[in-house]
Amino acid sequence: MSDPEITRDFEQMDLPVPLLRGIYALGLEKPSRPQQLGIVPGVKGQDLLLQSQSGTGKTVTFSTISLSRAGKYQSRVLILNPNRDLANQTYDVLKSLSKYMINSSKEPLINIHLSVGGYNDMKSDSEKLKCNPHIVIGTIGRIEHQMKNGNLDCSNIELVIIDEADEMLKSREDGKSFKDNIKFIYKNFIKESAQTILISATYNRDYI
């Protein structure tokens, strides 16, 4: 097995210039270890398992991959989260990173949509999903519901990111797990050629 590709500078990653501006605007000068290892192969379309401790920049890593693929390759991206709080945090990072990815009228070039249960109105959520946003971030229950009801067109999804994969895929003592939901989504809605990126602080091969 060849050694993983390491890129130690954001400017060597062939990212869109407006995205680079967003990265620097967050105060990031040099990529962290997950960013050095993950961004370039992720943008190239490789399946990845990004395993690193909390606070090491994993969210910026997969958010940068998502925005680069959506901006340069017109890929559609689906990001699955285990809860609303994490989905909201991911949405905020994506919006911050993409603040300079705008047209001459200062309108966003990348349509990012947050699809979660609870306070997110179902009708409005459905209408926005039917507009085929470039990036959809959501909780597993809401996303599965929208897929089953035909509101989320999955034929154009080319990248699926599963955040907190250690929590999403493991079986718990109370019998509750998102593992079956994820298997159902992949079997019925996600094309085989789609890229997958798993994000995790810990990982066990028994999860999948």
Side-chain angles (χ1 to χ4, degrees), residues 151-170:
N151 297 318
L152 175 55
D153 180 6
C154 301
S155 64
N156 55 22
I157 293 174
E158 297 181 6
L159 168 59
V160 179
I161 296 172
I162 302 176
D163 198 6
E164 297 289 340
D166 45 348
E167 292 297 322
M168 295 274 269
L169 296 172
K170 73 179 180 181

Side-chain angles (χ1 to χ4, degrees), residues 148-191:
K148 288 178 178 178
N149 284 276
N151 297 318
L152 175 55
D153 180 6
C154 301
S155 64
N156 55 22
I157 293 174
E158 297 181 6
L159 168 59
V160 179
I161 296 172
I162 302 176
D163 198 6
E164 297 289 340
D166 45 348
E167 292 297 322
M168 295 274 269
L169 296 172
K170 73 179 180 181
S171 298
R172 301 186 336 209
E173 292 183 359
D174 59 7
K176 295 180 180 180
S177 172
F178 294 121
K179 187 174 182 178
D180 290 338
N181 305 78
I182 291 172
K183 285 185 175 180
F184 177 83
I185 286 173
Y186 266 85
K187 180 179 179 180
N188 293 280
F189 298 104
I190 305 300
K191 57 188 178 184

Side-chain angles (χ1 to χ4, degrees), residues 90-159:
T90 301
Y91 178 79
D92 289 342
V93 171
L94 282 161
K95 294 296 286 187
S96 295
L97 286 171
S98 64
K99 66 184 295 184
Y100 299 108
M101 302 178 78
I102 54 178
N103 61 22
S104 58
S105 300
K106 297 186 177 180
E107 297 171 335
L109 291 172
I110 307 297
N111 185 358
I112 304 168
H113 177 62
L114 178 65
S115 179
V116 297
Y119 52 81
N120 196 338
D121 176 69
M122 181 68 75
K123 182 178 179 181
S124 175
D125 185 33
S126 301
E127 291 174 350
K128 290 178 179 178
L129 286 173
K130 289 177 181 178
C131 293
N132 288 322
H134 295 93
I135 301 174
V136 175
I137 312 114
T139 48
I140 188 72
R142 171 60 70 91
I143 292 296
E144 183 177 6
H145 177 86
Q146 294 289 34
M147 287 177 171
K148 288 178 178 178
N149 284 276
N151 297 318
L152 175 55
D153 180 6
C154 301
S155 64
N156 55 22
I157 293 174
E158 297 181 6
L159 168 59

Side-chain angles (χ1 to χ4, degrees), residues 5-74:
E5 183 176 1
I6 300 175
T7 309
R8 293 185 169 86
D9 194 298
F10 287 117
E11 294 190 12
Q12 297 175 349
M13 295 180 180
D14 192 29
L15 300 172
V17 173
L19 177 53
L20 273 175
R21 290 184 64 192
I23 290 172
Y24 292 139
L26 286 181
L28 304 175
E29 297 181 358
K30 294 293 182 181
S32 65
R33 185 68 174 175
Q35 292 155 12
Q36 292 177 3
L37 292 169
I39 290 176
V40 171
V43 171
K44 289 180 178 178
Q46 296 180 24
D47 292 336
L48 298 174
L49 165 60
L50 293 178
Q51 181 180 345
S52 183
Q53 295 178 344
S54 299
T56 54
K58 296 190 297 295
T59 302
V60 169
T61 301
F62 70 76
S63 296
T64 299
I65 294 169
S66 301
L67 290 165
S68 183
R69 289 196 60 80
K72 293 174 65 176
Y73 305 105
Q74 292 300 302

